[in-house]
Amino acid sequence: MALKKTLTIAGSDTSAGAGMQADLKTFQELNTYGIVALTSIVTMDEKTWSHDVTPIPFDVFEKQLETAISIGPDAVKTGMLGTQEIIKRAGEAFVESGADYFVVDPVMVCKGENEVLNPGNTDAMVEYLLPKATVVTPNLFEAGQLANLGTLKSIDDMKKAAEIIHQQGAAHVIIKGGKALDQDKSYDLYFDDKQFYQLTTDMFQQSYNHGAGCTFAAATTAYLANGKSPKDAVIAAKAFVASAIKNGWKMNDFVGPVDHGAFNRVEHIDVEVTEV
């Protein structure tokens, strides 16, 4: 039986914990065939681990899309896109691909940085990506930016943001609350236009979680490609990334990645799902 094909339009993380490297590892773990169209290369200073983002020339990006689209992906996800031009083209590429599912991970900052890479990108995501999105997977900061609500501090804030993002066009919204709301539990909020669901796991170690956001979006993409509904896909992705975070490991003095193989190799984590 042929594998489903999952395309990531994303940046390369040279440390390989996040970006397209995390996507491909996750796709492989979840039995899909990963394809890449690279938007940028992120490198880190060996002494400070500060990030440097080098864009891929647009004509090279376009050639990658031509190749990827010709392969016929079943699902497409986005990661770091970098410019408004690339954001617009990524949305067009999904339509041209004929893929059934589009997962938008609205990456706005690099790990360890706290400023939006390009503030105009937020408006471009709202215009070109959200109306096409099967699922959009922002964290608290990204959801606050997309919804123009600023910092989200509670489940009620997340619900307001999810409604706004849904009104902007996203069919399904999952806002990752993670460690920001509670030190004992990890809360995410899913909205399907009719009902809010809180997805909860225990809180695991917080030191080695590099790549968690990319991994969650990639897992959602793979589960959709393999036939799960959006709700079941995000619940399964929450379990997958919880295992990855719990088993994260120290790479160096600056960062530790999640373990992308922990769900299959080590343990499954239970996710509590409640209507809110």
Side-chain angles (χ1 to χ4, degrees):
M1 181 176 177
L3 295 175
K4 295 293 186 178
K5 293 163 285 187
T6 43
L7 166 62
T8 179
I9 305 174
S12 168
D13 170 18
T14 301
S15 76
M20 67 91 170
Q21 289 89 339
D23 295 341
L24 291 181
K25 291 170 185 176
T26 301
F27 292 161
Q28 184 77 17
E29 289 290 332
L30 294 176
N31 300 312
T32 69
Y33 183 80
I35 311 165
V36 179
L38 197 61
T39 62
S40 57
I41 298 173
V42 180
T43 53
M44 300 81 183
D45 183 276
E46 62 179 308
K47 296 180 180 178
T48 65
W49 215 247
S50 60
H51 293 59
D52 186 20
V53 180
T54 303
I56 299 296
F58 190 81
D59 63 328
V60 177
F61 174 63
E62 184 64 46
K63 290 178 180 178
Q64 293 178 83
L65 287 179
E66 291 174 2
T67 302
I69 290 171
S70 75
I71 296 171
D74 297 286
V76 178
K77 79 167 285 286
T78 64
M80 180 185 288
L81 299 179
T83 69
Q84 296 171 52
E85 182 182 29
I86 287 178
I87 290 169
K88 182 174 185 291
R89 187 68 190 97
E92 294 169 347
F94 162 68
V95 174
E96 292 169 12
S97 74
D100 295 318
Y101 308 102
F102 189 36
V103 175
V104 175
D105 184 10
V107 176
M108 296 182 184
V109 299
C110 294
K111 178 72 75 176
E113 307 293 334
N114 57 11
E115 294 184 1
V116 177
L117 290 172
N118 181 344
N121 285 1
T122 302
D123 292 337
M125 290 176 187
V126 171
E127 181 175 359
Y128 299 119
L129 300 185
L130 295 192
K132 301 177 178 70
T134 309
V135 181
V136 60
T137 66
N139 59 27
L140 287 178
F141 173 78
E142 293 159 349
Q145 293 294 308
L146 290 172
N148 200 28
L149 292 178
T151 304
L152 309 182
K153 298 181 179 179
S154 67
I155 293 291
D156 284 341
D157 287 348
M158 294 166 74
K159 291 171 74 171
K160 292 175 186 176
E163 287 182 319
I164 292 171
I165 294 168
H166 174 73
Q167 290 166 5
Q168 291 168 331
H172 301 264
V173 182
I174 175 79
I175 299 177
K176 300 168 292 185
K179 64 184 180 181
L181 300 180
D182 192 305
Q183 293 304 305
D184 297 318
K185 298 289 184 179
S186 171
Y187 300 115
D188 297 343
L189 184 77
Y190 169 69
F191 181 53
D192 64 359
D193 183 34
K194 297 180 178 65
Q195 179 64 51
F196 293 98
Y197 298 90
Q198 183 174 299
L199 312 184
T200 307
T201 64
D202 289 335
M203 181 66 67
F204 305 114
Q205 62 82 24
Q206 300 173 27
S207 299
Y208 310 130
N209 60 6
H210 179 54
C214 302
T215 301
F216 179 89
T220 300
T221 307
Y223 281 124
L224 285 169
N226 280 329
K228 286 188 180 294
S229 68
K231 178 185 174 184
D232 289 342
V234 298
I235 293 170
K238 171 81 168 174
F240 183 91
V241 79
S243 298
I245 293 171
K246 184 178 179 181
N247 292 279
W249 56 283
K250 181 178 180 179
M251 176 184 290
N252 59 21
D253 290 338
F254 301 100
V255 70
V258 302
D259 182 344
H260 300 91
F263 181 80
N264 287 332
R265 193 186 69 252
V266 183
E267 61 185 321
H268 291 191
I269 304 297
D270 291 331
V271 177
E272 179 184 350
V273 181
T274 54
E275 295 185 4
V276 291

